Amino acid sequence: MWKVIDEVLSVFDKIDKNNFLLLEENILKSKNIFVYGIGRSGFIGRCFAMRLYHLGFNSYFVGESITPRFTKNDLIILISASGKKSQVIEIAKICKREKGKVLSITLNKKNQLAKISDYSIIIPIKKSIQFGNSLFEQVSFLFLEEFIQYLVERHKIKKEEMEERHTNLE
Amino acid sequence: MWKVIDEVLSVFDKIDKNNFLLLEENILKSKNIFVYGIGRSGFIGRCFAMRLYHLGFNSYFVGESITPRFTKNDLIILISASGKKSQVIEIAKICKREKGKVLSITLNKKNQLAKISDYSIIIPIKKSIQFGNSLFEQVSFLFLEEFIQYLVERHKIKKEEMEERHTNLE
Amino acid sequence: MWKVIDEVLSVFDKIDKNNFLLLEENILKSKNIFVYGIGRSGFIGRCFAMRLYHLGFNSYFVGESITPRFTKNDLIILISASGKKSQVIEIAKICKREKGKVLSITLNKKNQLAKISDYSIIIPIKKSIQFGNSLFEQVSFLFLEEFIQYLVERHKIKKEEMEERHTNLE
Amino acid sequence: MWKVIDEVLSVFDKIDKNNFLLLEENILKSKNIFVYGIGRSGFIGRCFAMRLYHLGFNSYFVGESITPRFTKNDLIILISASGKKSQVIEIAKICKREKGKVLSITLNKKNQLAKISDYSIIIPIKKSIQFGNSLFEQVSFLFLEEFIQYLVERHKIKKEEMEERHTNLE
């Protein structure tokens, strides 16, 4: 009936649950958390960066007006299906040069981005009826949303605290 | 196991399937299709506007550098959970004044946005364990992704055609 | 010879120099400084918000992923030629309700935005050969750039300090 | 008195006037005109792309939701002071590979971007009291604004025509 949902569920079953711990550990020990991606992966990334901020972390989306300097105490989370886009690779290289941590969310461990990254979360997609990387973007979005909920529960973050960090300028 | 996915699925079951026909009919008969939303709803909206463009429609996201004038031959799709945000309401009012069509995706038929709109797609959420309007955003995103896949299949749009409209500047 | 430059210079001569003190005083006593504007005024505003951040202030551009809650200790700087755009007016109203300070940069003291604002910096344009509000945007941009230079000199902010706050992710 | 204005004027005097013809010729013979830049150069670029659109050209800012494929019939205008930013260089390389035209606005002819580009408009800045590339951004902005006015006058484009292409969704 719902073809997209069916595809999403079939991929979700194969995601390694340990990725939550990997993400959590890296986020908790970093001073600033940067998120980046291009096109639709970037829009997904902005959704995630915003919620991290509501949770109380110093998160930023690369390319927005207010973005600090990336240093060795920081983490960058790069979202890229192919792991080949030059714009993303170049950002990853800068972060490695600064000796910070690079964590990528991508389709496989063999692409250029995964090879540069300290850690990779693999979204294991074999095939899809959908155009482009839609399935990757859908699964990445829901995976990050599950992770936010996981963080909220694990650290007992109250909705009121998050509400205080949510902008009222809208 | 997956709490977000579970919530998403439980809402999806209650969405009216006729909404696909409503969206399709309005998109097909409009000259330009504008999409708008604030915060995370806006990021979801940008994902949708981009895919509509790949499908061959004249779509735009309100607020970007290149946005034409909205006229009576146009459609605007507004994504807002509460249907109360002043920024979204003001845009809806302008579109009504110009005598174009306003279609909103929102939580219920009783809010201010739904009352102004020509059509409303209701995402029927009763309650959620998640913060803010996360569940609304997740369901809206996947609903629009299902709709894109529906359009692709119904109008037999080839991946190669879509690929030609996908930017290579990334 | 240079028609735009000529127009800009003729307006610049009539700007009240006390506006620097007004801006400075309000920025120094605020916890967070928000900047907002629509279209080209928004792009000018982003340039300004970014430099304020480099100077060491907690500045934000409304609508970006990372934007905190506006409170009574905060300042918003609204850039709008006509002072009539509903999107800007609505943001100004929220800020007044929260009892923070609203400072607008606009064409005259009689428009709706100026009336809501605590302070207005008037860009005194009588007429222009240019389209739309181009002259307003040019003068506002250069005025804010002059103000940044004024702040740098007055507070003896070193280029090295600013460089440390400038992102390296580009 | 006005230190920024003084710096801007001193650079403006040295800009080659033939650059207007170069820009005009390339814009007129291209199907689509893409504009790109990072940070403040990007905000300046968005101001320019928007006005080109008002003038009636098919202009786009790279990275926005609606951006078509770059082809051999297209022009990209890249704004970068240093001409070294990897993100900009990578975009320039893609455009050269597609056999379209690359025109850069930059500080000198010797940097990597200028070397890749088909044409370069040099903003001849020797030194500046200002932070970063502020002076470059100011001069580039005003130069492009002068160019818009030049185009309007030369092609006798009426304000009413431009107004019809200006969005009313704000």
Side-chain angles (χ1 to χ4, degrees), chain B residues 15 18 30-32 37 47 71 73 78-79 84 98-99 113 159:
Chain B
I15 297 180
N18 289 319
S30 300
K31 189 176 162 238
N32 293 315
C47 287
T71 74
N73 306 308
L78 296 167
I79 307 172
K84 285 176 189 168
E98 299 289 337
K99 306 199 187 309
L113 179 62
K159 287 192 181 182

Side-chain angles (χ1 to χ4, degrees), chain D residues 34-160:
Chain D
F34 295 78
V35 183
Y36 189 52
I38 291 189
R40 298 187 4 135
S41 291
F43 298 138
I44 296 315
R46 282 175 177 93
C47 288
F48 181 57
M50 193 188 283
R51 276 294 184 263
L52 280 183
Y53 180 76
H54 295 154
L55 286 172
F57 296 102
N58 299 319
S59 58
Y60 299 93
F61 188 82
V62 175
E64 297 206 336
S65 304
I66 309 305
T67 318
R69 176 166 287 272
F70 183 91
T71 73
K72 63 180 165 52
N73 306 309
D74 298 336
L75 168 70
I76 192 162
I77 298 169
L78 296 167
I79 307 172
S80 170
S82 71
K84 286 177 189 167
K85 297 277 164 63
S86 54
Q87 304 264 57
V88 176
I89 302 286
E90 292 301 319
I91 291 292
K93 284 180 185 169
I94 295 171
C95 296
K96 287 306 298 175
R97 206 184 305 145
E98 298 289 336
K99 306 198 187 310
K101 291 295 179 200
V102 176
L103 186 154
S104 59
I105 300 178
T106 184
L107 282 177
N108 63 71
K109 281 200 183 299
K110 291 171 194 165
N111 63 53
Q112 199 183 348
L113 179 62
K115 283 178 187 165
I116 297 176
S117 301
D118 295 290
Y119 312 101
S120 297
I121 292 177
I122 303 303
I123 307 294
I125 296 173
K126 285 283 185 297
K127 59 183 167 48
S128 169
I129 56 169
Q130 298 180 71
F131 173 66
N133 291 306
S134 287
L135 182 53
F136 171 82
E137 291 140 10
Q138 293 148 8
V139 174
S140 298
F141 177 55
L142 288 173
F143 171 79
L144 292 170
E145 295 286 274
E146 290 278 3
F147 174 69
I148 291 287
Q149 182 60 23
Y150 162 84
L151 273 189
V152 166
E153 297 186 10
R154 196 162 143 74
H155 298 275
K156 301 189 174 59
I157 303 168
K158 294 197 184 120
K159 286 192 181 181
E160 301 83 66

Side-chain angles (χ1 to χ4, degrees), chain B residues 9-163:
Chain B
L9 291 178
S10 77
V11 178
F12 240 80
D13 276 348
K14 294 179 217 133
I15 297 180
D16 187 346
K17 271 85 188 170
N18 289 319
N19 285 323
F20 274 9
L21 300 174
L22 175 72
L23 252 182
E24 183 186 14
E25 190 191 334
N26 277 284
I27 286 173
L28 289 177
K29 74 182 180 197
S30 300
K31 189 176 162 238
N32 293 315
I33 297 113
F34 295 78
V35 182
Y36 189 51
I38 292 190
R40 298 189 0 137
S41 291
F43 298 138
I44 295 315
R46 281 175 177 92
C47 287
F48 181 58
M50 193 189 282
R51 277 292 185 263
L52 281 183
Y53 180 76
H54 295 154
L55 286 172
F57 296 101
N58 300 318
S59 58
Y60 299 94
F61 189 81
V62 176
E64 297 206 337
S65 304
I66 307 306
T67 318
R69 177 166 286 272
F70 184 92
T71 74
K72 64 178 164 53
N73 306 308
D74 298 335
L75 166 71
I76 191 161
I77 298 168
L78 296 167
I79 307 172
S80 170
S82 71
K84 285 176 189 168
K85 295 277 165 63
S86 55
Q87 305 265 58
V88 176
I89 302 287
E90 293 299 320
I91 292 292
K93 284 181 184 168
I94 295 170
C95 296
K96 288 305 298 175
R97 204 183 306 145
E98 299 289 337
K99 306 199 187 309
K101 292 295 179 200
V102 176
L103 186 155
S104 59
I105 301 178
T106 184
L107 282 176
N108 64 70
K109 280 198 183 300
K110 292 170 193 164
N111 63 52
Q112 200 184 346
L113 179 62
K115 283 179 187 164
I116 297 176
S117 300
D118 295 290
Y119 311 101
S120 296
I121 292 177
I122 304 302
I123 307 295
I125 296 173
K126 285 282 185 296
K127 58 183 167 49
S128 170
I129 55 169
Q130 297 180 71
F131 173 66
N133 291 306
S134 286
L135 182 53
F136 171 82
E137 291 141 10
Q138 292 148 8
V139 174
S140 297
F141 177 55
L142 288 174
F143 171 80
L144 293 170
E145 296 285 276
E146 290 278 4
F147 174 69
I148 291 288
Q149 183 60 23
Y150 162 85
L151 273 188
V152 166
E153 296 186 10
R154 196 161 143 75
H155 298 275
K156 299 190 176 58
I157 304 168
K158 294 197 186 121
K159 287 192 181 182
E160 301 83 65
E161 291 172 54
M162 294 181 73
E163 196 55 51

Side-chain angles (χ1 to χ4, degrees), chain A residues 8-122:
Chain A
V8 167
L9 290 177
S10 77
V11 178
F12 240 79
D13 276 348
K14 294 179 217 134
I15 298 180
D16 186 346
K17 272 84 187 171
N18 290 319
N19 285 322
F20 274 10
L21 301 174
L22 175 72
L23 253 182
E24 183 187 15
E25 189 192 334
N26 277 285
I27 286 174
L28 289 177
K29 73 182 180 197
S30 300
K31 190 175 161 236
N32 293 315
I33 297 112
F34 295 78
V35 182
Y36 189 52
I38 292 190
R40 299 188 1 137
S41 291
F43 298 138
I44 296 315
R46 283 175 176 92
C47 288
F48 181 57
M50 193 188 284
R51 277 293 185 263
L52 280 183
Y53 181 74
H54 295 154
L55 286 171
F57 296 101
N58 300 319
S59 59
Y60 299 94
F61 188 81
V62 175
E64 297 206 336
S65 304
I66 309 306
T67 318
R69 177 167 287 272
F70 183 90
T71 73
K72 63 179 165 53
N73 306 308
D74 298 336
L75 168 70
I76 192 161
I77 298 168
L78 296 167
I79 307 172
S80 170
S82 71
K84 286 177 190 169
K85 296 277 164 62
S86 54
Q87 305 264 57
V88 176
I89 302 286
E90 292 300 321
I91 291 292
K93 285 180 185 169
I94 295 171
C95 296
K96 287 306 297 174
R97 207 183 305 145
E98 298 290 337
K99 306 199 187 307
K101 292 295 180 200
V102 175
L103 186 154
S104 59
I105 301 178
T106 185
L107 282 177
N108 63 71
K109 281 200 183 299
K110 292 170 194 166
N111 62 52
Q112 199 182 349
L113 179 61
K115 283 178 186 165
I116 297 176
S117 301
D118 295 289
Y119 311 101
S120 296
I121 292 178
I122 304 302

